[in-house]
Amino acid sequence: EREAEEAADDFGGSLPKGSAAKEGGGAKEGSGGAVAFAMSDGETEELQGMLRSLVAERGKVREAMGWCITRSQYAADIVETVTEALTIAATPPPKKIARLYLVSDLLHNSSASVPNASSYRTAFEATLPTIFASVHSCRASLDSRMAQQTFGEQAAKLLRVWGAWSLFPPSYIARLERV
């Protein structure tokens, strides 16, 4: 549990005060007939730019998380974009870790009292196996054993934190560990 608190503290784990979902974007029908909102091209480009420049620094991850949480009505599009960014084979390991920290912050704040914030947990639950398969491939492609171990430990620590936060059933976390 202490590890979970340290990880949340290290990477911004909480929603900035005064955050609230903004209106905008177009409506589209999501799975099960639910109405979801589509990000504008400008918002998609802004998110992609944030993901390209994201580094594993508390302030940068918190800023990106705040941007995403305030646009929770676009959770499906945001999760799709973040998942695509995390599954690009050529992405350097430090960038993948920074993006995983963003996922972790979004999951941590999926219980925030912001409309539709809970959609992040549901949407990431569907894409995390793909993300962790890409993380595993990235780890295996690293040249040194030390780099592989460090990268693997960083990803494993997030899974332990998510387990401590009870975000997903233990069997799901175990499945991600085995990927």
Side-chain angles (χ1 to χ4, degrees), residues 126-143:
T127 65
L128 281 171
T130 302
I131 290 170
F132 273 85
S134 177
V135 166
H136 177 73
S137 295
C138 178
R139 178 179 180 232
S141 74
L142 295 173
D143 293 332

Side-chain angles (χ1 to χ4, degrees), residues 21 32 62 92 150 162 173:
R62 184 180 333 154
T150 301
W162 297 346
I173 297 289

Side-chain angles (χ1 to χ4, degrees), residues 11-176:
F11 302 104
S14 62
L15 184 64
K17 290 188 188 308
S19 294
K22 294 180 182 175
E23 298 297 322
K28 64 180 181 179
E29 189 169 316
S31 61
V35 174
F37 291 92
M39 287 194 299
S40 69
D41 290 343
E43 287 167 318
T44 300
E45 288 174 18
E46 186 176 359
L47 175 58
Q48 290 170 342
M50 274 190 285
L51 292 169
R52 277 191 295 274
S53 65
L54 191 62
V55 293
E57 294 174 5
R58 182 188 327 204
K60 299 290 184 187
V61 174
R62 184 180 333 154
E63 181 181 325
M65 182 273 304
W67 188 94
C68 293
I69 288 290
T70 60
R71 290 161 180 81
S72 293
Q73 70 270 28
Y74 307 133
D77 285 349
I78 290 170
V79 169
E80 180 180 338
T81 303
V82 171
T83 299
E84 287 173 4
L86 271 162
T87 55
I88 297 169
T91 302
K95 187 73 63 187
K96 279 196 190 279
I97 292 298
R99 292 171 182 172
L100 281 173
Y101 290 152
L102 173 59
V103 170
S104 187
D105 273 11
L106 288 170
L107 290 171
H108 184 265
N109 286 290
S110 65
S111 62
S113 61
V114 174
N116 215 38
S118 62
S119 297
Y120 284 108
R121 191 187 68 74
T122 305
F124 275 121
E125 187 171 10
T127 65
L128 281 171
T130 302
I131 290 170
F132 273 85
S134 177
V135 166
H136 177 73
S137 295
C138 178
R139 178 179 180 232
S141 74
L142 295 173
D143 293 332
S144 78
R145 194 173 193 169
M146 175 89 64
Q148 289 178 352
Q149 183 176 354
T150 301
F151 185 76
E153 286 172 356
Q154 290 172 315
K157 183 177 182 180
L158 285 176
L159 291 174
R160 287 191 304 273
V161 167
W162 297 346
W165 289 341
S166 299
L167 287 170
F168 303 109
S171 61
Y172 181 80
I173 297 289
R175 188 171 125 214
L176 293 177

